[in-house]
Structures are given as C-alpha cells and as structure tokens.
C-alpha cells in the first residue's frame, strides 16, 4: 500500500507523521525563531522581546466544520487562522504553532495530508510555521484538531487587552463583518452557489495579518478578534473595561449590503455572526490605522447598545446550543 | 439549579468557565512568569532566557483513560504531568500551560470541576499554573483534553536533544519502570486491589520535577521521557544519535521485582510499558545525578539490544492498535 492510500488504520504513527510533515512543508513557511523544531520532546523557539503570547483553540468535526462543506485544506487553514487571529488581537505576531490531531482510525490518510497542507499554508500566510504536535486515535466519527499559537509583541510593547477602553474612544473594526455567518446560512440551505465568496469566508476566515500590530502601534486602547459576533465581543470589551459601547448601524450599511444572498437576515449576520476573525478595537484618537474603520463609540455606563438602544450581545454558546 | 449540578448542557460557557477557574485556583499554583493570565485573547508570559520550550499532548476518553478506572482529578493530573514531563525531558522547567476541553454536553459539570482541580494540582506540583484554554462541545461519549506546556531552560543553556548520545556514554533512568503498564494490566483484569500503588501510577504518573534540570546541569548528552516504553524510547535516542544502545536487565531487577502482582509479565512491563514519564538519558561521564541510575550503555552501531541481543523496540501504536 502506498503511504497516501487508505485510512489511518494500519499505518504506523511514523508513516502518518511523515505524511503530515511533508504536507506542512509544502507551503515553505519559515521562522527565524525556531531553534529546535519537530522531532524532540518539545520545540524551542527564540523569544526576542522577553515575553511570549500563548493561545489555544480547538475545532471539532460536526461542530466547527462538516466534511461535506469544507475541504481538509480549508479546515487546516481555519484552525491556524483562528489561533493566529488571537495573537493579532493582542497586537502580536505569531512565532510558531503546535497542533494535536485526534482522529477516528477510519479517517483517510489523504484527508490528513490535505489538512497538513492547509495548516502549513495558513501558517506561512501568518509568517510562521507548525513546530510540533501530537497524534492520537479516537472513536468512530470523531475528529478534533487543537492548536496552540505562540506570538510576540514588538520590543518594549505591552499587549492590547480588553480592559483599556475609555469613554470618548472610537470603536473600530479591521474588516467586513457577517460574511462567515452568511456563508454558513447558504451552506445550511444548500445554496452555496448563490455566493461562493461568502461561503469561502465560512470555510476559512482570512485574517489580514498585521492589522493587530498596526492597531497596537496606533495606540489601540482595547482589542479582541470577532470570534463570537460583533455584539457579544463588543460586550466583552464593555464588561472588561467598565464602559458602554454604542454600535452605529449606519457604519455597517456596506457590510449588510454585501450580504444580499441571505435577505433580511443580513443585519443579524453582521451584528451577531461569529468566526469572522477580523479585529475589534477602541482608539482614543479620531484616527484609526490603515484598513480600519470606525463603527461606534465608547461612552460611560455599561453594556452594549445599537444606535443608542440597549441590546443583548448574543452569540454562539457551545453548551446551551442556541443563539441566545 | 446550583452551578455545580447537572451536565454541561444548559450551562453557559461563562458558568462553566467560572467553575473551571475556581477548580484551577484551589491548588494555589503560582508563577512569576505570568504577565497576563486568562480572560484576554491570549496569555502573556515572561521569558527570561531568550527562548521558550513548547510541547503539546492530547488525552482521549476511552483511549487514554476510562471513567470507571480514573477519577477526573487523576485525569487532570495525568494531562499536566505528561506535558510537563516533555519539558523536563529537554532539561527545562514548565512556565505555564494552556488546556482545551472538548466534551459531550452530557458530561457532568462536577466532573469538569474535578478535572480542573487535578489540572491545577499537578501544575502546582510542577511549579506553574494553567494560564488559558478553550472549551468546546462534541458528540455523545466524546471527551478530549489537549494541553500545551511552555517551559524554559536556565540562562545560557541549550536543550538536551535525542541526538547527542555517543559511544561510551552511560544510559540512565530517573526512576522506576513498568509501574504504569502493570497498573493497567491490574485494571484490565479487575484486580486493582492487588496493588493499588501500581494502579495509581497508571491513573496518574508522578514525575519527579527537577530531574530533567539536574540531568542538563550534569551534562546529559541525550534525553527523552519514557512515554511509549523503555525499548522504543531508547530506540528513538539510538536512531536520532546514530548509535546503538544496550539495555542491561541486571540493572532492572528491582523494577521487575516490584511488579510481582503481574507475574511473568513484569519484565515486559519494564521493557515495553509506556506512560511512565520518568526520564531516560545518556551521560558521557560515569557519574549520574542524584535520583538517576545506570541501566545500560551506548556503543557504536545501530538499534537497541537487551543484554547484547538484538531486539525490536515495540511500544504503543495508536493506529495499528496493537503492541508491535
């Protein structure tokens, strides 16, 4: 049997790892930070700034992706993107990732190879690479991918937390909103052909790496990435900072207009759609960095409002299993 | 409903995270390295030595533990121990961990609380703490815990790799061997009461934190932790270093004698049992550090021998699902 044929079952871990390592390497990602890469008990990464950012995020087959909706390459890209976006959200740059794959032995080896290619491709986009991982088997139908990203800030910088927003600050976002949620609706309704671009954002977010660093350098007072929906993530800044945030829908008109494929649900996608992985930040000055635009304001008080009206954040809950 | 009652289903992530954070905090672990802890997009850890070690390892319900064999506290301790042991195996000290939990919504919240207590307890034993994580739901019967440990070496040190063993070096181990495998046999045979101490090692390995650092300072030439069995892990050093390793059973007589509960399978447990998470290293000198003992020698050639006779490493394979 050629190494790229059949399911994981029956292959040694060395054979599977060899396929994964080859897939990871295809994108040619590199990092001047890697002192010791895969093959030992741990990787060893240079840290120039005296401190390291670390974040972790898991993806679960059937919850975070469906194999009939997403290619393994897209799954790999999404896994890296959502972790690297968390590094961006502190103002940092990813310097390395480790990934664990827990999979049903019936999983095709070719699927794993393509996953590794996607992981490597997105890591290269983020300017880094996969430096280690772990592989384990699981029961029928199970596939869990868990990634941890490390990152660094510029020398002497401190991270942009959620807690620094102050009344008078502008609320700004680094890219369009609602695309991933609209893409999910199209997939759910078997209408992917109606707007393949929106579906593409659901299959793999496309963070503009560097937006976080530019926000830090522009003096952002608070920041996070929009992983669970604009209103819920804005509420997180409001709660952590002890302020009120008002979102202005007039500033979101273009976002809504881009989602005609989902009709009157477009506004809900923009306000409550998760998995965008664009950045949401507050700035004390009126100027926001290149690529950012103002969509609201920070005021005294608590909670989140939309055009001045109180609202509930809402967003994805894993265990109540509904949009609140 | 009180927060500690019932399954995860129906609780918000904030409620579940609050229970986890409380559990993690009970052991009072601390770290002078944590600049920003949980609650933001990433944690931020001080790095004093200019480089960081990073490793990741997943545990899967039904593969790495059974709920009728292990308490959630033991599962949490094992999860941290096996990751921290990988940091030890490079000569380092753990400086922080992140953990993802992917669980069936039917999982009792009390189980998750106890898991968190175990994670926090073992992190405190290792001199560090859990600095972040992620929580996600999964299908019926699924529970996957994936941890990533960060660590550091003493200033100016380089890690002890697998590739540095040289002919003439002594092979040494930092603790007893075979206990976890023997404990697993007793559990499988419903004879846990025959030797609860062995069973305890299976339920949670007990790395002697600091052994790795002492080996580095004593000039260890190669090192790893015994996660997949002495012979297989020795073979990894042999392959990486381009040497032959001879294991001497006379030096393992006490290990075998301690496993009387498993009868004539004791030798196999000692030579091939995984999950010990003691350290295996080679030393150029005749002296080994406190807590270590010599069990063999490095010679020119390739592969692993036992008392001079060629052998196959063997050990656990996740996807071929058998002891080779």
């Amino acid at each position: 049997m050629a190494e790229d044929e059949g399911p994981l079952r029956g292959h040694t871990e060395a054979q599977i790892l060899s396929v994964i390592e080859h897939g990871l390497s295809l994108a040619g990602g590199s990092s001047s930070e890697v002192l010791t890469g895969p093959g030992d008990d741990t990787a060893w990464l240079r840290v120039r700034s005296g401190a390291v950012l670390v974040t972790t995020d898991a993806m679960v087959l059937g919850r975070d992706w469906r194999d009939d909706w997403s290619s393994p390459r897209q799954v790999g890209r999404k896994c890296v993107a959502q972790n690297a976006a968390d590094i961006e959200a502190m103002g940092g740059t990813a310097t390395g990732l480790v990934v664990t794959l827990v999979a049903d032995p019936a999983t095709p080896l070719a699927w794993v190879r393509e996953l590794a290619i996607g992981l490597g491709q997105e890591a290269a986009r983020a300017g880094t690479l996969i430096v280690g991982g772990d592989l384990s088997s699981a029961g029928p139908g199970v596939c869990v991918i868990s990634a941890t990203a490390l990152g660094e800030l510029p020398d002497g910088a401190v991270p942009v937390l959620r807690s620094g927003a102050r009344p008078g600050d502008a609320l700004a976002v680094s890219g369009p909103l609602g695309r991933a949620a609209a893409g999910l609706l199209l997939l759910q309704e078997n209408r992917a052909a109606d707007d393949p671009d929106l579906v593409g954002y659901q299959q793999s977010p496309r963070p503009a790496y560097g937006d976080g660093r530019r926000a830090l350098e522009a003096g952002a007072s608070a920041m996070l990435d929009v992983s669970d929906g604009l209103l819920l993530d804005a509420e997180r800044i409001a709660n952590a900072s002890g302020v009120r945030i008002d979102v202005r829908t007039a500033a979101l008109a273009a976002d809504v207009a881009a989602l005609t494929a989902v009709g009157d649900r477009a506004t809900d996608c923009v306000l409550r759609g998760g998995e965008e992985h664009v950045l949401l930040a507050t700035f004390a000055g009126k100027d926001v960095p290149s690529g950012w635009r103002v969509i609201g304001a920070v005021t005294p008080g608590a909670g989140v409002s939309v055009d001045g009206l109180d609202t509930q954040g809402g967003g994805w809950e894993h265990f109540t299993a509904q949009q609140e």
Side-chain angles (χ1 to χ4, degrees), chain A residues 103-170:
Chain A
D104 179 351
T107 305
L109 185 56
W111 189 94
V112 173
R113 173 202 309 281
E114 287 291 309
L115 174 77
I117 293 173
L119 291 167
Q121 284 177 335
E122 191 68 19
R125 269 198 77 220
T128 186
L129 73 172
I130 312 297
V131 298
D134 186 33
L135 180 63
S136 191
S137 58
V142 175
C143 189
V144 176
I145 309 163
S146 182
T148 300
L150 304 188
E152 273 204 85
L153 298 171
D155 257 342
V158 295
V160 184
L161 305 183
R162 300 176 178 191
S163 52
R166 295 294 172 259
D169 288 359

Side-chain angles (χ1 to χ4, degrees), chain A residues 247-308:
Chain A
V247 172
R248 294 174 193 150
T249 54
L252 300 171
D255 303 78
V256 173
L259 309 183
T260 51
V262 296
D264 60 6
R265 296 165 299 178
T267 299
D268 204 52
C269 287
V270 169
L271 294 177
R272 294 189 173 79
E275 301 190 297
E276 281 297 328
H277 302 297
V278 298
L279 303 174
L280 183 68
T282 57
F283 295 89
K286 290 298 164 200
D287 293 336
V288 297
S290 161
W292 290 73
R293 67 200 158 107
V294 174
I295 62 163
V298 181
T299 65
V304 171
S305 57
V306 175
D307 297 332

Side-chain angles (χ1 to χ4, degrees), chain A residues 28 77 80 95 98 116 131 154 176 179 181 200 207 218 223 227 248 310:
Chain A
R77 295 190 69 144
V80 169
T95 53
V98 291
V131 298
R179 300 166 301 182
M223 184 156 59
S227 53
R248 294 174 193 150
D310 281 352

